[in-house]
Amino acid sequence: MAFEGLASRLQNVFGKLRGKGKLTEDDVNEALREVRLALLEADVNFKVVKDFIAKIKERAIGQEVLKSFTPGMVVVDIVNKELTELMGGTQSKLAKANRPPTVVLMVGLQGAGKTTLTAKLAKLLQKQNHRPLLVACDIYRPAAIKQLEVLGEQIKAPVFTMGDQVNPVEIAKAGLQHAKDNGNDYVLVDTAGRLHIDEQLMDELKQINETLNPHEILLVVDAMTGQEAVNVADSFHKQLTITGVVLTKLDNDTRGGAALSVRAVTGCPIKFVGVGEKTDALEPFYPDRMASRILG
Ligand code: GDP
């Protein structure tokens, strides 16, 4: 499970606090010191931690809280609410065009999980009775097109390809037309990634963006890379104005720093999390449920 380390540390801190009955200001300060360390160890962005602790302190260290009947529980409740806010507050849903098709662009670094996400998202949409079309615009990574075709076959969703000798912008344009001609109400475009963010990658994505005018640009980042994922998200957002983040490989992320920082740093909501390699291993992201899971 994700967040194991953080969850067990926080549960420990708050378990002690809950068990105390009456609390003093020192008790709360001591607990928040431990929370701060736990968050930093979980690879949460330094400034995010600082602001988070300051907010909780402001709300938790007041006579009303300390004099309440169950001060430990009140403090935990405050932390729960602030954690939920930190991750975006409410669930942020996938965009839906007023006039279909809804166009969704998958962007991110190579290996982040874009191709896998394209298929996962298609499967999720199929379950909601939509008819997604997958468009293969990653012409650089060897076998990316084949991978999308294989996944499409698995989930029985159509995949639009033009091979790897055609400009991705042209493929994207033709793919959109194909969707319109065939009554597909979602167009999911898998784009190329690189090992690092570079100008060529961004130029290509900007061109596809201008051509398709997508309703949603989902940035796919590997949760296991922690702060690096947050930095990648920040850089992409500055250049491309992404509309949402998908954190992949959360099933292997024992720390949770990316999930806790990415919203606060970029302002972009996390829309989905990938929790495995299979096509059904995708979950909508619910900040409140995630906070409760962390706090136990
Ligand atoms: P792309 O280069 O961004 O298109 O990345 P891929 O979709 O090919 O994914 C790279 C690797 O990560 C593949 O081996 C995927 O099976 C794996 N992967 C993708 N998403 C997840 C996830 O949520 N959990 C796990 N454990 N593996 C994932």
Side-chain angles (χ1 to χ4, degrees), residues 11 13-21 23 71-73 76-77 295-296:
Q11 284 163 25
V13 175
F14 292 123
K16 272 192 272 176
L17 213 57
R18 273 201 197 100
K20 269 202 165 149
L23 290 185
M73 276 183 190
V76 175
D77 192 46
L295 294 173

Side-chain angles (χ1 to χ4, degrees), residues 1 17 42 67 69-70 76 88 114 131 135 166 170-171 179 185 200 209 217 225 238 258 285 288 296:
M1 201 273 261
L17 213 57
K67 278 194 184 146
F69 221 50
T70 50
V76 175
K114 286 180 299 302
R131 300 186 58 221
V135 179
V166 179
E170 293 307 316
I171 302 176
D185 59 351
Q200 215 183 343
N209 184 24
I217 302 183
T225 60
K238 284 192 174 118
F285 184 72
D288 53 343

Side-chain angles (χ1 to χ4, degrees), residues 75-207:
V75 174
V76 175
D77 192 46
I78 292 171
V79 174
N80 190 325
K81 288 203 175 99
E82 288 298 333
L83 259 185
T84 305
E85 275 311 304
L86 186 66
M87 290 184 282
T90 50
Q91 186 208 0
S92 187
K93 290 187 177 159
L94 190 69
K96 188 174 178 202
N98 288 331
R99 266 191 24 202
T102 304
V103 180
V104 184
L105 215 59
M106 256 52 74
V107 304
L109 294 182
Q110 189 168 317
K114 286 180 299 302
T115 306
T116 311
L117 174 71
T118 310
K120 285 177 174 177
L121 205 51
K123 186 159 182 176
L124 201 76
L125 288 165
Q126 284 174 328
K127 278 193 200 146
Q128 299 165 0
N129 295 321
H130 292 293
R131 300 186 58 221
L133 173 73
L134 284 58
V135 179
C137 283
D138 183 356
I139 61 166
Y140 307 107
R141 179 162 66 84
I145 298 176
K146 184 78 202 155
Q147 186 186 343
L148 198 64
E149 283 177 328
V150 169
L151 289 170
E153 209 161 288
Q154 258 178 39
I155 61 170
K156 298 190 173 54
V159 179
F160 182 86
T161 74
M162 290 172 81
D164 59 4
Q165 298 301 313
V166 179
N167 185 316
V169 181
E170 293 307 316
I171 302 176
K173 212 190 310 186
L176 176 57
Q177 190 55 48
H178 184 90
K180 286 180 179 165
D181 294 343
N182 290 276
N184 297 108
D185 59 351
Y186 273 85
V187 183
L188 310 180
V189 183
D190 183 25
T191 66
R194 301 266 152 79
L195 291 176
H196 303 283
I197 296 173
D198 62 36
E199 218 173 297
Q200 215 183 343
L201 168 69
M202 281 303 168
D203 279 348
E204 182 175 302
L205 291 174
K206 280 178 194 166
Q207 279 181 42

